[in-house]
Amino acid sequence: MATSKKDQRREARMRMHEEREARARREKLRGRVLIGGALVAVLALAVGVGMYAANSSGSGGSADEGAGKPFVQPANTTGKDGIVIPYGKADAKNVLSVWLDPRCPYCAGVEIGLGKTIKEQADAGTYRVEYHFATFLDKALGGGKGSKRAVNALGAAVNESPEKFMEYLQVLYRNHPEKESDDKFGSTATLLELADQVPGLRTPAFNQAVKELTYMPWVEKVGQAFYDQNLQGTPDVSINGKKLTVNSGQGIDSITPDAFKKLISDNLK
């Protein structure tokens, strides 16, 4: 019994530490977001540029690093060409659809604020999550490779397992660039270093896929799906096709986990 109480205290301390880190991260991210209408205008312009690139050249974004590479679909993906990354029980009758861009600060706010809750509800069978990724910010933010290279690394993670993918997704957003224009995720060395925070992720296959950009042809198809769906920005979250407002309206912060759970319960089949 003494050991059990000790374990409980340790787990409680760990949870408190994680919560403090999440709060600190949100404060740092909030501090770098532009104010009010100026930010909205910048993001609207970013989406507009991305849509123009899609209409003129297919997928938009930075130079196609997948050119000449064979198409490889990561394991544990679904849909045509594996453009969807599912997490949760396959027979869940409710589906939570989540669209993210790795360089999007609002996506970071949602994952930091709600990522743990989303995983817990998926594990409980409340719904199956279907993750989709956009890469328009590489071009919209003045050029770069971070969105696409991060999605490539996420493909390498889900190839290991859905659980590793979920952990790595959280790690990336907890370590989101301080400025939108910072192409932090454009460095494969950084992506590999961050992967050290996920126990067991740094397998030879994962390392090779990140370094050699193995999944970039797949990334192009994943990113193109954002334009094909005529979405207007990220994050885009819906339950059973019903769009949810997951931003609090206070900077990049998400709504609270309790508010999110209420939205979910109101829209379950």
Side-chain angles (χ1 to χ4, degrees):
M1 181 66 68
T3 301
S4 176
K5 290 182 178 179
K6 185 183 296 183
D7 290 342
Q8 291 174 2
R9 288 195 294 271
R10 183 169 60 251
E11 291 175 1
R13 287 195 297 271
M14 291 177 64
R15 285 196 298 271
M16 290 176 63
H17 178 70
E18 290 175 355
E19 291 172 0
R20 284 196 297 270
E21 283 191 336
R23 285 198 298 271
R25 184 61 186 159
R26 287 196 297 269
E27 290 300 323
K28 289 175 69 178
L29 286 169
R30 185 189 299 115
R32 65 179 173 78
V33 174
L34 299 176
I35 303 300
L39 174 59
V40 173
V42 169
L43 291 180
L45 175 60
V47 174
V49 171
M51 293 300 290
Y52 175 80
N55 292 334
S56 62
S57 62
S59 61
S62 58
D64 182 3
E65 294 186 297
K69 292 180 179 292
F71 176 83
V72 181
Q73 178 178 329
N76 305 307
T77 58
T78 60
K80 186 178 185 300
D81 297 318
I83 61 173
V84 180
I85 298 179
Y87 180 82
K89 300 178 181 180
D91 60 352
K93 63 180 181 179
N94 296 283
V95 177
L96 183 75
S97 177
V98 180
W99 291 79
L100 306 168
D101 187 306
R103 294 177 68 180
C104 168
Y106 284 91
C107 298
V110 167
E111 277 299 311
I112 290 170
L114 301 177
K116 183 178 180 181
T117 300
I118 289 173
K119 183 179 185 302
E120 288 175 348
Q121 290 199 308
D123 288 339
T126 304
Y127 46 69
R128 179 180 73 257
V129 191
E130 293 189 346
Y131 282 99
H132 310 256
F133 289 93
T135 59
F136 67 89
L137 287 178
D138 277 346
K139 184 170 183 178
L141 293 176
K145 302 175 181 179
S147 289
K148 288 185 178 181
R149 287 191 169 190
V151 175
N152 175 75
L154 287 164
V158 76
N159 188 68
E160 297 295 323
S161 75
E163 292 73 23
K164 294 288 191 296
F165 160 79
M166 290 292 279
E167 290 184 65
Y168 190 49
L169 182 66
Q170 280 281 291
V171 167
L172 290 185
Y173 279 119
R174 286 201 305 267
N175 292 275
H176 197 261
E178 290 300 314
K179 297 180 179 179
E180 290 90 339
S181 57
D182 179 1
D183 197 25
K184 178 178 181 178
F185 295 153
S187 165
T188 56
T190 296
L191 294 170
L192 288 170
E193 181 181 349
L194 292 173
D196 286 331
Q197 297 182 34
V198 181
L201 181 57
R202 290 291 300 272
T203 66
F206 175 85
N207 293 342
Q208 180 178 0
V210 174
K211 291 177 181 177
E212 298 183 3
L213 306 176
T214 300
Y215 297 112
M216 288 305 267
W218 170 78
V219 171
E220 293 296 326
K221 293 181 181 295
V222 169
Q224 179 61 43
F226 173 82
Y227 304 113
D228 293 343
Q229 293 294 316
N230 292 318
L231 297 177
Q232 298 303 305
T234 55
D236 187 283
V237 180
S238 62
I239 181 74
N240 300 323
K242 170 70 174 180
K243 285 190 180 294
L244 305 178
T245 299
V246 292
N247 181 259
S248 67
Q250 303 296 318
I252 67 163
D253 282 358
S254 71
I255 58 176
T256 66
D258 286 343
F260 178 74
K261 290 177 181 178
K262 176 69 164 54
L263 283 177
I264 293 298
S265 64
D266 288 346
N267 291 283
L268 293 177
K269 293 179 180 178

